[in-house]
Amino acid sequence: MDASEFRRRGKEMVDYVADYMEGIEGRQVYPDVEPGYLRPLIPTTAPQEPDTFEDIINDVEKIIMPGAASPACTELETVMMDWLGKMLQLPEAFLAGNAGEGGGVIQGSASEATLVALLAARTKVTRRLQAASPGLTQATIMEKLVAYSSDQAHSSVERAGLIGGVKLKAIPSDGKFAMRASALQEALERDKAAGLIPFFVVATLGTTSCCSFDNLLEVGPICIKEDVWLHIDAAYAGSAFICPEFRPLLNGVEFADSFNFNPHKWLLVNFDCSAMWVKKRTDLTGAFKLDPVYLKHSHQDSGLITDYRHWQLPLGRRFRSLKMWFVFRMYGIKGLQAYIRKHVQLSHEFESLVQQDPRFEICAEVTLGLVCFRLKGSNKLTEALLERINNAKKIHLVPCHLRDKFVLRFAICSRTVESAHVQLAWEHIRGLATELLKAEKE
Amino acid sequence: MDASEFRRRGKEMVDYVADYMEGIEGRQVYPDVEPGYLRPLIPTTAPQEPDTFEDIINDVEKIIMPGAASPACTELETVMMDWLGKMLQLPEAFLAGNAGEGGGVIQGSASEATLVALLAARTKVTRRLQAASPGLTQATIMEKLVAYSSDQAHSSVERAGLIGGVKLKAIPSDGKFAMRASALQEALERDKAAGLIPFFVVATLGTTSCCSFDNLLEVGPICIKEDVWLHIDAAYAGSAFICPEFRPLLNGVEFADSFNFNPHKWLLVNFDCSAMWVKKRTDLTGAFKLDPVYLKHSHQDSGLITDYRHWQLPLGRRFRSLKMWFVFRMYGIKGLQAYIRKHVQLSHEFESLVQQDPRFEICAEVTLGLVCFRLKGSNKLTEALLERINNAKKIHLVPCHLRDKFVLRFAICSRTVESAHVQLAWEHIRGLATELLKAEKE
């Protein structure tokens, strides 16, 4: 949607809201629909080609408004998470469908998803151990619980461990910054021998620093064998898996208990919208369920409905699935795939520009929209370049450390980015590098 | 703002956004402002009288846009939380000011605020005990930690205990559904004698069931004496404290470590916006702080800026303080006070209608916008009435249990509610009660 269509549609929406407010007394306080009403009204998958805006807005009045905030908010979320799960070719077990044991939920951020998964895993292992040895206290168990992630995992994983009150150990990644079987197995054996209890592994697909991928096909079977909860954090990279050519990066997801990525990062859905799936919804609800009278309702034991308040940390919820519904329909799957592909192509364009300049080096494999690069030589040199880049305020780069190297990260992430912007940014960086190297020589 | 002004202003905003998108390449990537730039540009308190919409929108361009998303998002939040804290006459220690140790943060929900407070208290007591006895493990301590709240506290308090891995004990409330000194002190003594470690008390101002108020002036000094973190959950009632006549309900807040209420509940700010203050920001940041390279920035040790990511569970944040800024200025403090007073007046109007009908009884003191009432006689009778009310779908009531009584809750909460709506609702309820009682006799 370009700016001129945005003006038109935006103003129509303002009128829609105003009309709603003016006519609100004519609407029913409580909806007539029954739980489960929404799914049959909506296709089972996202459209390949874009729908028109008229079609979408007509469906809001026809499908959403009769379901009011509840149950429409919950039911659209379940169906949209199924749509998205199918776009990613997630295993059937992660989908809610009509009677599945799994399903998806929108969280606010990947940090929350990791924490929710860790807490659910903590409850599950605690109950299992207490069932086997009824005398065990929760504290005795918690003292021995260990969670694992790669040394490249996001800091929010460490934070989840802190909050959950359990140890978190970093598994040394390999030369391509990936967690592999041998390092994980070694840590598990050492900890079990020391009387500790491994219970949770976070595998990262697309690390923050360099977009590296843990080896799911190696890590997954270990988690199955050891009866350890496997959570996959694909916060950034997950969006790319809607393209068949990137889907192999997700192979091994079938070994996971929970999977999460952020459509708000790279799938054109505005912040916040973090998509999380679990294979067994009772693992989440078992950890968080409390049912006071003022939150009871007549349908809660019917199996027809989903009480998302048991799937998350906050109690209140927003109608975030509307954003997904609009975006998926306005772009169509093909439009979203084209968007991802364009970004990946632009990052390879930047990569090849860097490679053509012998003063620079690429520091990690470029798979998606992130290029890690640096000036050859000391870290001080690249640090000085970053200072010049960020002081010039024409582009903004965020650095990282890869082992002992200080590295710049060039990320393709704007909705409107074009090749011209990439070229301009590179010319700018090159120019500043030339100035810097000249100044260094003097 | 009525619907016709909403149409006009809404469309202006659509154009503003479209203009921004069309002109984005002319804007700077990185702001020129220095940390701390915003506070001097904004009054130190919210206006008494409404500002015009033009004034506000002009300030967006003048004050917010030069500060981009960062630091404007953080700095406006700190200043708005100070504005709101002053509206509530919070003790100075809770305000950030220019160099305060305390300050406010916007959370997503009261559940999150309670959990964040509990986790911070858990870290604080663990560190204190470990400093005194370095051999103590975290698990040994956690096993003994006990949190307390009234038996009327919201279920999210119990949930915070579950997530935090600590015991939570319910203190029996008194005849007015309030937590009092004697019951709390008794529980503390009993638990300490059993070798447990009390560390956290949640006092509720305006309980969910019946809007009762824990006795802060009694509970507060006990928490001080016992060195226990006191968190106040005023999720619903907090908004009323902007009126001097309701502010005495908050007396004793000076004893608390943290205080929270939801402007999204009753202060005209759209969901979500849950306002939380702490006296010592280091209590929060101490519990959650992790600093990977990709989140470092040059100002983080300057003391000038606030890193809200250490104040909350998620990492990402939205620019929610803009909603507060618009609402506080569009209504002015007087307009917001008038709004609260109107709702309280309408609930008293409903209360007096109920009192005039001898078939009904009021079940708890009406202080703010909630009226708890029931048909005299068996619970079955009121349950049957509720079924008729909710089946009729003209109004929607949510019930609760007060001790052994099943009670209906009439809540005044719509922005546009008038006396006529209250009258209509009561006539409707009365009519259904008459039908019910007649059917019961037959």
Side-chain angles (χ1 to χ4, degrees):
Chain A
M1 182 181 280
D2 61 15
S4 89
E5 196 187 352
F6 176 83
R7 284 179 208 276
R8 185 174 143 219
R9 300 307 187 182
K11 290 169 190 178
E12 286 172 10
M13 283 304 297
V14 168
D15 278 326
Y16 187 85
V17 173
D19 290 345
Y20 174 84
M21 295 310 297
E22 286 186 322
I24 197 165
E25 303 218 7
R27 294 198 181 244
Q28 224 171 248
V29 165
Y30 206 70
D32 278 329
V33 301
E34 288 297 311
Y37 87 100
L38 186 136
R39 190 180 283 272
L41 303 179
I42 282 185
T44 55
T45 55
Q48 288 290 327
E49 306 287 343
D51 283 346
T52 66
F53 195 82
E54 272 86 0
D55 282 346
I56 305 173
I57 206 73
N58 287 340
D59 280 349
V60 169
E61 188 59 34
K62 210 170 65 192
I63 298 173
I64 304 302
M65 297 311 271
S70 172
C73 173
T74 293
E75 298 196 3
L76 186 65
E77 184 163 331
T78 306
V79 176
M80 284 305 104
M81 291 298 293
D82 274 2
W83 273 21
L84 185 54
K86 287 175 188 170
M87 283 159 70
L88 299 174
Q89 299 178 52
L90 283 187
E92 189 77 20
F94 285 105
L95 306 182
N98 287 308
E101 290 179 24
V105 59
I106 303 177
Q107 305 280 355
S109 64
S111 322
E112 281 172 272
T114 304
L115 177 57
V116 163
L118 180 139
L119 294 171
R122 190 186 76 181
T123 302
K124 194 174 187 178
V125 69
T126 302
R127 290 195 185 145
R128 189 173 71 217
L129 294 171
Q130 286 181 329
S133 318
L136 279 180
T137 66
Q138 192 192 2
T140 316
I141 295 169
M142 273 178 64
E143 187 159 29
K144 295 181 181 166
L145 293 181
V146 194
Y148 303 84
S149 68
S150 137
D151 58 13
Q152 299 299 310
H154 191 267
S155 61
S156 56
V157 178
E158 190 180 344
R159 210 151 170 273
L162 266 183
I163 292 171
V166 297
K167 292 173 192 62
L168 178 92
K169 300 204 175 179
I171 306 296
S173 54
D174 73 0
K176 292 178 102 179
F177 308 102
M179 177 161 63
R180 304 291 301 275
S182 54
L184 176 63
Q185 191 70 60
E186 199 181 306
L188 292 173
E189 296 307 329
R190 195 177 47 237
D191 287 343
K192 286 193 292 179
L196 298 175
I197 306 168
F199 81 108
F200 187 64
V201 169
V202 178
T204 308
L205 299 181
T207 58
T208 307
S209 291
C210 68
C211 199
S212 60
F213 292 77
D214 287 341
N215 193 318
L216 267 192
L217 290 171
E218 289 185 5
V219 166
I222 295 177
C223 294
I224 298 287
K225 185 180 59 143
E226 303 280 348
D227 205 358
V228 157
W229 184 298
L230 174 60
H231 175 71
I232 298 176
D233 172 7
Y236 161 70
S239 299
F241 306 152
I242 65 166
C243 300
E245 67 271 33
F246 299 122
R247 176 58 177 76
L249 293 166
L250 185 59
N251 287 350
V253 65
E254 58 274 17
F255 300 114
D257 297 277
S258 51
F259 169 71
N260 169 250
F261 86 99
N262 293 345
H264 68 232
K265 273 210 165 67
W266 198 18
L267 210 59
L268 291 156
V269 181
N270 279 345
F271 187 81
D272 54 9
C273 180
S274 182
M276 178 188 193
W277 290 265
V278 289
K279 269 189 193 153
K280 282 204 166 47
R281 55 174 71 192
T282 49
D283 287 341
L284 293 189
T285 56
F288 301 122
K289 193 167 182 172
L290 291 174
D291 267 326
V293 179
Y294 49 80
L295 296 176
K296 275 199 193 301
H297 48 80
S298 53
H299 298 291
Q300 67 190 12
D301 299 316
S302 73
L304 253 177
I305 71 140
T306 300
D307 256 347
Y308 276 129
R309 65 192 156 98
H310 304 308
W311 294 53
Q312 61 175 22
L313 299 174
L315 177 61
R317 316 197 81 239
R318 282 165 290 126
F319 205 151
R320 292 175 289 201
S321 58
L322 277 177
K323 296 189 288 194
M324 297 169 80
W325 200 37
F326 271 71
V327 168
F328 297 163
R329 297 182 66 182
M330 287 174 68
Y331 282 83
I333 293 176
K334 286 187 183 167
L336 294 170
Q337 287 171 335
Y339 175 74
I340 296 285
R341 286 173 181 141
K342 179 175 180 181
H343 279 199
V344 177
Q345 183 205 315
L346 289 176
S347 78
H348 283 302
E349 182 177 335
F350 185 83
E351 177 189 26
S352 96
L353 290 168
V354 174
Q355 282 168 332
Q356 287 161 39
D357 188 324
R359 300 172 302 175
F360 287 89
E361 61 185 355
I362 296 290
C363 309
E365 190 177 343
V366 177
T367 313
L368 302 175
L370 180 70
V371 182
C372 289
F373 70 110
R374 68 194 291 278
L375 279 168
K376 289 174 186 165
S378 75
N379 281 343
K380 285 231 160 70
L381 208 57
T382 296
E383 284 168 19
L385 177 60
L386 178 68
E387 206 183 331
R388 285 177 184 243
I389 292 170
N390 284 343
N391 284 345
K393 299 184 181 180
K394 287 199 171 179
I395 64 173
H396 183 63
L397 296 189
V398 173
C400 74
H401 283 293
L402 289 178
R403 310 274 185 248
D404 55 346
K405 284 187 175 171
F406 185 83
V407 166
L408 304 184
R409 296 161 66 257
F410 188 86
I412 305 282
C413 49
S414 164
R415 185 176 62 85
T416 54
V417 64
E418 297 291 345
S419 173
H421 298 111
V422 172
Q423 301 281 347
L424 210 71
W426 174 243
E427 284 311 314
H428 178 59
I429 294 169
R430 271 188 60 191
L432 292 174
T434 302
E435 280 176 25
L436 169 69
L437 294 170
K438 198 176 149 204
E440 290 281 314
K441 271 195 193 148
E442 279 162 7
Chain B
M1 183 180 279
D2 61 16
S4 89
E5 196 188 351
F6 176 82
R7 284 180 209 275
R8 187 175 140 217
R9 300 307 187 182
K11 290 169 189 177
E12 286 172 10
M13 284 304 299
V14 168
D15 278 326
Y16 186 85
V17 172
D19 290 346
Y20 173 83
M21 294 311 297
E22 286 186 322
I24 199 164
E25 303 219 7
R27 294 198 182 244
Q28 224 172 249
V29 165
Y30 206 71
D32 278 329
V33 300
E34 289 297 311
Y37 87 99
L38 185 137
R39 191 180 283 272
L41 303 178
I42 282 185
T44 55
T45 55
Q48 287 290 328
E49 306 287 343
D51 282 346
T52 67
F53 194 82
E54 272 86 1
D55 282 345
I56 305 172
I57 206 73
N58 287 340
D59 280 349
V60 168
E61 188 59 35
K62 210 170 66 192
I63 297 174
I64 303 302
M65 296 311 272
S70 172
C73 173
T74 293
E75 298 197 3
L76 186 67
E77 183 163 332
T78 307
V79 176
M80 284 306 103
M81 290 299 292
D82 274 2
W83 273 21
L84 185 54
K86 287 175 189 171
M87 283 160 69
L88 300 173
Q89 298 178 52
L90 283 187
E92 190 76 21
F94 284 105
L95 306 182
N98 286 307
E101 291 179 22
V105 58
I106 303 176
Q107 304 280 354
S109 64
S111 321
E112 280 172 273
T114 304
L115 176 57
V116 164
L118 180 139
L119 294 171
R122 189 186 77 179
T123 302
K124 194 174 187 178
V125 68
T126 302
R127 290 197 184 144
R128 189 174 70 217
L129 294 171
Q130 285 180 329
S133 317
L136 279 179
T137 67
Q138 192 191 1
T140 317
I141 294 169
M142 274 178 64
E143 186 159 30
K144 295 180 181 165
L145 293 181
V146 193
Y148 304 84
S149 68
S150 136
D151 57 13
Q152 299 299 309
H154 191 266
S155 60
S156 57
V157 178
E158 189 180 343
R159 211 151 169 273
L162 266 183
I163 292 171
V166 297
K167 292 173 192 63
L168 179 91
K169 299 205 175 179
I171 305 296
S173 54
D174 74 359
K176 293 178 100 180
F177 307 103
M179 177 161 62
R180 303 291 302 275
S182 53
L184 176 62
Q185 191 70 61
E186 200 180 305
L188 292 172
E189 295 308 328
R190 194 176 48 238
D191 287 344
K192 285 193 293 180
L196 298 175
I197 307 168
F199 82 107
F200 187 65
V201 170
V202 178
T204 309
L205 298 181
T207 58
T208 307
S209 291
C210 69
C211 199
S212 60
F213 292 77
D214 288 340
N215 193 319
L216 267 192
L217 289 170
E218 289 186 5
V219 166
I222 294 177
C223 294
I224 298 286
K225 184 180 59 143
E226 303 280 348
D227 206 358
V228 158
W229 182 300
L230 175 60
H231 175 71
I232 298 176
D233 172 6
Y236 161 69
S239 299
F241 305 153
I242 66 166
C243 299
E245 67 272 32
F246 299 121
R247 176 58 177 77
L249 294 166
L250 185 59
N251 287 350
V253 65
E254 57 274 17
F255 300 114
D257 296 278
S258 51
F259 169 72
N260 169 249
F261 85 99
N262 292 346
H264 68 232
K265 272 211 165 68
W266 199 17
L267 210 59
L268 291 156
V269 180
N270 279 346
F271 187 78
D272 55 9
C273 180
S274 182
M276 179 188 193
W277 290 265
V278 289
K279 270 190 192 153
K280 282 204 165 47
R281 55 173 72 191
T282 49
D283 287 341
L284 294 189
T285 56
F288 300 122
K289 194 167 183 173
L290 291 173
D291 268 325
V293 179
Y294 49 80
L295 296 176
K296 275 200 192 303
H297 48 80
S298 53
H299 298 292
Q300 67 189 11
D301 299 316
S302 73
L304 253 177
I305 71 139
T306 301
D307 258 347
Y308 276 129
R309 65 191 156 99
H310 304 307
W311 296 52
Q312 62 175 21
L313 299 175
L315 177 61
R317 316 197 80 236
R318 282 166 289 127
F319 204 152
R320 292 176 288 200
S321 58
L322 277 177
K323 297 189 288 192
M324 298 168 79
W325 200 38
F326 271 71
V327 168
F328 297 163
R329 296 182 66 181
M330 287 175 67
Y331 281 84
I333 293 176
K334 286 186 183 169
L336 294 169
Q337 288 171 335
Y339 176 74
I340 296 285
R341 285 173 182 142
K342 180 176 181 179
H343 279 198
V344 177
Q345 183 205 314
L346 289 175
S347 78
H348 284 301
E349 182 177 333
F350 185 83
E351 177 189 25
S352 97
L353 289 168
V354 175
Q355 282 168 332
Q356 286 161 40
D357 189 325
R359 300 172 300 177
F360 286 89
E361 61 185 355
I362 295 290
C363 309
E365 189 178 343
V366 177
T367 313
L368 301 175
L370 180 70
V371 182
C372 288
F373 70 108
R374 68 194 292 277
L375 279 168
K376 288 173 186 166
S378 75
N379 281 343
K380 284 229 161 69
L381 209 57
T382 297
E383 284 169 18
L385 177 59
L386 178 67
E387 205 182 332
R388 285 178 184 242
I389 292 170
N390 285 342
N391 284 346
K393 298 184 183 181
K394 288 200 171 179
I395 63 173
H396 183 63
L397 296 189
V398 174
C400 74
H401 283 294
L402 288 178
R403 309 277 184 247
D404 55 345
K405 285 187 175 173
F406 186 82
V407 167
L408 305 184
R409 297 160 64 259
F410 188 87
I412 305 283
C413 50
S414 163
R415 185 176 62 86
T416 54
V417 63
E418 298 291 342
S419 172
H421 299 109
V422 172
Q423 301 281 344
L424 211 72
W426 174 243
E427 283 311 313
H428 178 60
I429 294 169
R430 270 188 61 190
L432 292 174
T434 301
E435 281 175 24
L436 169 69
L437 293 171
K438 198 176 149 204
E440 291 280 313
K441 272 194 190 147
E442 279 162 4

